Amino acid sequence: MSSEAAPLPALPFGIRIAGTGSAVPDQVLTNRDFEKIVDTSDEWIFQRTGIRERRVCDPLKEGTFTLSRDAVARALEAAKMKASELDFIICATCTSEMGCPSTSCRIAGALGAAPAAAFDLVAACSGFVYALNVGESLVRAGRAKNVAVVGCDALSGHVDYCERTVSILFGDAAGAAILTRDTDTTKGCIYQSMGADGSNWHSLYIPRRPQEVAECDRNNGIRLGFLQMDGREVFKFAVTKFREVIEDAMAKTGLKVDDIGQVICHQSNARIIEAAREKIGFRHDQVYVNIDRFGNSSAGSVGLCFDQLMQAGKIQPGKPIIFVAFGGGLTWASSVWRI
Ligand code: COA
């Protein structure tokens, strides 16, 4: 069961997204580069996924911590806020370098956010939208005034570049947003949903020890420490779930296609996004796509898209926006906002 619910009750205050920020590595890995590593082609990758290139970390100098730290720093700058004003930092990631401390604590330490509470959240590609919903709930409940949420994954360190089906999909990125309590009651989240179905966990997972290899993969020559994916299963799940989650958000809020300013969605595969866009009837300009340049950056993708749209002045005040994501777990989430 998911926690899909009725529209959120009105508040005596608003919740404003005060600033956004993002960070990607400089290093570009193109489809042509893959042609030199595995038996593939630019044409195959682009036709199946919509990806032309992705950004990947130089593991000697960057990773989940540096990208998410930089994204939060930029979001704070855009919000004209100091890190010391934050009450919470929530980092959504499944590629934290250390088990302890959390990436959030390292961000807090680097930016000077003490004594803000800081914790990580794991919801794979749904991570940014999960973090946004949790952060919003903390402000809504009166537990926080200012919350930084960041989604970041650096899966380049967790994919096997000798394996051509999984490695071509992923890039590294971080996207962040600062939520703040505001007197303007017209701004805020009007609906959110989160759900998971753990029975299909083995469709997308990173086994670290032999006993974590799923029964169905026992004879598949799995390399421990690398992302495993049943591409067809994930495709089927994503194509259905993506549409369902958007339709649920629209039905519960009563919003029609023309009411929506932007659908800011997880960049998993251009074919999955296009299938949902066409079925629901959104215009192309309502659904932002950057997968051609950044690939699937897991928890980084939605926040990266949001920041790029904000920078480009494409988010119109008053027009609701829908954040939507799905991914490993399997998980899914939506969040509808008036900005
Ligand atoms: N280049 C060339 N050929 C490739 C290839 C590559 N990079 N990767 C796989 N192939 C081959 C396969 O070996 C197979 O060959 P065969 O027919 O001789 O056995 C053929 O292409 C078809 O493989 P298949 O895995 O069925 O391809 P597909 O059409 O399902 O596309 C994905 C593969 C990964 C692009 C697709 O399944 C997908 O996008 N799934 C969803 C993934 C996703 O979104 N994950 C993240 C969720 S958050």
Side-chain angles (χ1 to χ4, degrees), residues 202-242:
H202 45 77
S203 301
L204 203 55
Y205 71 113
I206 306 176
R208 298 198 193 283
R209 301 175 299 168
Q211 58 268 44
E212 285 150 9
V213 174
E215 197 64 43
C216 53
D217 284 330
R218 288 276 148 88
N219 300 320
N220 287 349
I222 296 293
R223 287 184 65 193
L224 295 176
F226 292 110
L227 184 66
Q228 307 302 321
M229 183 182 74
D230 182 338
R232 285 185 194 178
E233 263 314 299
V234 176
F235 193 93
K236 269 194 285 176
F237 157 75
V239 102
T240 317
K241 190 50 81 178
F242 186 30

Side-chain angles (χ1 to χ4, degrees), residues 89-336:
I89 297 179
I90 308 170
C91 179
T93 182
C94 62
T95 59
S96 220
E97 284 95 350
M98 292 195 236
C100 181
S102 65
T103 297
S104 297
C105 284
R106 296 179 73 196
I107 298 169
L111 301 182
F119 64 95
D120 289 359
L121 172 161
V122 180
C125 302
S126 309
F128 179 82
V129 186
Y130 260 67
L132 190 64
N133 286 346
V134 172
E136 192 272 348
S137 302
L138 288 164
V139 181
R140 171 173 290 273
R143 287 284 293 112
K145 180 170 187 291
N146 300 321
V147 178
V149 297
V150 56
C152 178
D153 274 315
L155 277 165
S156 62
H158 302 268
V159 294
D160 178 358
Y161 283 102
C162 301
E163 197 289 317
R164 63 182 181 172
T165 313
V166 180
S167 58
I168 52 140
L169 292 172
F170 296 95
D172 304 337
I178 309 296
L179 316 183
T180 188
R181 184 180 160 129
D182 197 90
T183 50
D184 184 349
T185 54
T186 64
K187 296 191 190 310
C189 183
I190 52 176
Y191 180 73
Q192 54 170 262
S193 74
M194 291 182 274
D197 177 4
S199 65
N200 270 329
W201 64 271
H202 45 77
S203 301
L204 203 55
Y205 71 113
I206 306 176
R208 298 198 193 283
R209 301 175 299 168
Q211 58 268 44
E212 285 150 9
V213 174
E215 197 64 43
C216 53
D217 284 330
R218 288 276 148 88
N219 300 320
N220 287 349
I222 296 293
R223 287 184 65 193
L224 295 176
F226 292 110
L227 184 66
Q228 307 302 321
M229 183 182 74
D230 182 338
R232 285 185 194 178
E233 263 314 299
V234 176
F235 193 93
K236 269 194 285 176
F237 157 75
V239 102
T240 317
K241 190 50 81 178
F242 186 30
R243 205 179 94 213
E244 270 177 25
V245 172
I246 298 176
E247 286 176 342
D248 164 75
M250 291 172 71
K252 299 278 175 51
T253 53
L255 292 168
K256 305 279 174 260
V257 165
D258 286 337
D259 300 328
I260 310 293
Q262 284 287 333
V263 180
I264 306 177
C265 59
H266 173 50
Q267 306 288 303
S268 56
N269 181 316
R271 287 190 295 153
I272 295 172
I273 299 172
E274 182 54 19
R277 187 201 64 74
E278 206 174 31
K279 202 91 186 170
I280 302 174
F282 287 115
R283 300 183 311 273
H284 281 282
D285 65 292
Q286 287 176 295
V287 184
Y288 183 64
V289 175
N290 70 8
I291 193 169
D292 52 326
R293 287 164 292 141
F294 298 98
N296 175 346
S297 55
S298 186
S301 78
V302 176
L304 175 66
C305 288
F306 186 30
D307 185 46
Q308 290 180 341
L309 285 163
M310 290 288 273
Q311 301 292 340
K314 297 236 170 92
I315 303 288
Q316 304 162 22
K319 275 265 186 192
I321 57 177
I322 304 183
F323 298 94
V324 56
F326 47 84
L330 298 167
T331 55
W332 56 89
S334 71
S335 200
V336 185

Side-chain angles (χ1 to χ4, degrees), residues 63-83:
T64 297
F65 164 57
T66 58
L67 292 178
S68 50
R69 175 200 63 197
D70 294 350
V72 172
R74 287 169 193 157
L76 282 166
E77 200 181 324
K80 298 187 174 52
M81 193 184 285
K82 294 195 206 82

